[in-house]
Amino acid sequence: MFEGIKSAIHWRFAKKLRNSNPDRAARHLVLAATGRGADVSRARRAAGFLVADKRYSDARTICREHISSGDPSGFWRHYESFVDELASSCRQQEVSGSKIKIALFNDTDFRVNIGCRLTSQGLKQQILDAFPAAEITSIGFNFAAFRKEFPKSTSAGGYELSDIETRLSTAYGEGAVDHITAADFVILQPEGSLDHRTTAEGLATFFTPILTARKLGKPFAVLNGTIPIYEGERSDYLKGLFGELGHVAARDEISAEYYGIEFLADAAFLRISP
């Protein structure tokens, strides 16, 4: 019981200090997640916080502690491989002297789900096979942006770059515009992020990286994802958008035929695990 109380105290300190003193917060997160009284769900959240802050060594410490305790479900062994791959990717970007900069939006390699990771890893490997010296900047998607309301509709057309950038920053972070400006090529990977609940305005928000790239005259492509078959307003919007863009592929033949776009099999099939 006492160990559980200690873990809870470290957890409270970590949450309080995370913004003001990230180093101390990280130490408290590790202590909250590795003590004998550590709650499993809390340990997973702690590791997630550390990964989000790119503190991969601390996240790995949590993984190793729980692996040594048995790890009957195999979760921590899987999560450790996730942390190791993120750390490796980060090191490669730091040492890259590339002249080719590629902005990859909705890179799902930063999610724990193994399918999300394999899909993105396969795509990034193909990019590096084509451009060995490429520097890939990975940008994740904020799903809360699907529920965000904006003053002006962009799914109906007639929008300005400023209208797109507001949505872009909400969906992909404040640095998203700068990533596109600095990139030589912009890729949006739908992966499995779109579903039957996504509204027309949600679709407009999701595709803002490509809308921005087109406005700025940057080469772009949409590929390696599922495009659900919608009806009515959403179908009309996507068919019109894809017809204008011209560089769009779906990872299933049915959607590709429905929208009149290219078919490219999921890049996950290209990822050969050790």
Side-chain angles (χ1 to χ4, degrees):
M1 180 178 178
F2 180 67
E3 292 295 331
I5 294 173
K6 284 174 58 179
S7 176
I9 292 173
H10 283 302
W11 179 255
R12 287 181 178 273
F13 272 118
K15 292 182 70 175
K16 183 178 181 179
L17 295 169
R18 194 170 174 221
N19 292 325
S20 60
N21 194 328
D23 291 334
R24 285 186 61 193
R27 290 196 292 271
H28 283 295
L29 281 173
V30 171
L31 290 171
T34 56
R36 285 188 297 172
D39 177 77
V40 174
S41 62
R42 182 177 293 159
R44 293 186 179 188
R45 290 179 64 194
F49 283 143
L50 292 167
V51 164
D53 294 339
K54 296 186 178 181
R55 293 179 175 272
Y56 303 123
S57 178
D58 290 326
R60 190 182 293 109
T61 297
I62 295 176
C63 294
R64 297 310 305 170
E65 178 70 20
H66 287 272
I67 290 171
S68 67
S69 299
D71 190 26
S73 69
F75 172 86
W76 291 105
R77 289 189 295 275
H78 167 59
Y79 202 92
E80 184 183 37
S81 72
F82 167 60
V83 172
D84 288 342
E85 287 171 359
L86 291 183
S88 175
S89 175
C90 186
R91 287 193 298 270
Q92 289 175 5
Q93 289 187 20
E94 289 175 351
V95 301
S96 175
S98 170
K99 295 181 180 179
I100 301 175
K101 297 183 182 295
I102 297 175
L104 175 58
F105 283 84
N106 197 35
D107 183 355
T108 57
D109 201 5
F110 300 95
R111 302 176 193 168
V112 180
N113 181 281
I114 188 64
C116 293
R117 292 167 60 194
L118 290 176
T119 292
S120 280
Q121 288 171 11
L123 174 59
K124 287 188 285 190
Q125 187 57 58
Q126 284 297 103
I127 293 171
L128 293 175
D129 286 346
F131 306 102
E135 177 185 330
I136 302 173
T137 299
S138 298
I139 305 102
F141 177 68
N142 176 16
F143 281 87
F146 276 145
R147 301 184 295 275
K148 176 77 173 177
E149 294 184 3
F150 298 92
K152 185 173 181 179
S153 170
T154 58
S155 64
Y159 47 81
E160 300 296 330
L161 184 58
S162 59
D163 299 318
I164 304 174
E165 290 181 348
T166 300
R167 288 175 180 261
L168 176 68
S169 298
T170 300
Y172 296 96
E174 292 297 327
V177 177
D178 293 335
H179 290 316
I180 295 174
T181 302
D184 297 304
F185 197 88
V186 178
I187 297 175
L188 174 61
Q189 174 186 242
E191 209 264 330
S193 299
L194 303 176
D195 62 22
H196 67 283
R197 296 169 296 181
T198 308
T199 64
E201 285 300 308
L203 293 172
T205 299
F206 184 79
F207 285 99
T208 46
I210 299 305
L211 298 175
T212 303
R214 182 175 60 168
K215 286 279 188 181
L216 295 177
K218 297 284 184 176
F220 61 82
V222 180
L223 49 82
N224 208 40
T226 297
I227 310 294
I229 294 179
Y230 298 112
E231 297 180 352
E233 178 188 13
R234 294 180 294 178
S235 175
D236 293 341
Y237 172 69
L238 287 183
K239 286 181 177 179
L241 177 65
F242 294 161
E244 294 175 11
L245 296 178
H247 304 287
V248 184
R251 64 184 182 184
D252 70 278
E253 292 182 274
I254 297 174
S255 296
E257 182 178 353
Y258 180 79
Y259 288 109
I261 57 180
E262 296 294 322
F263 161 64
L264 287 174
D266 194 330
F269 292 116
L270 303 172
R271 175 75 165 93
I272 301 174
S273 59

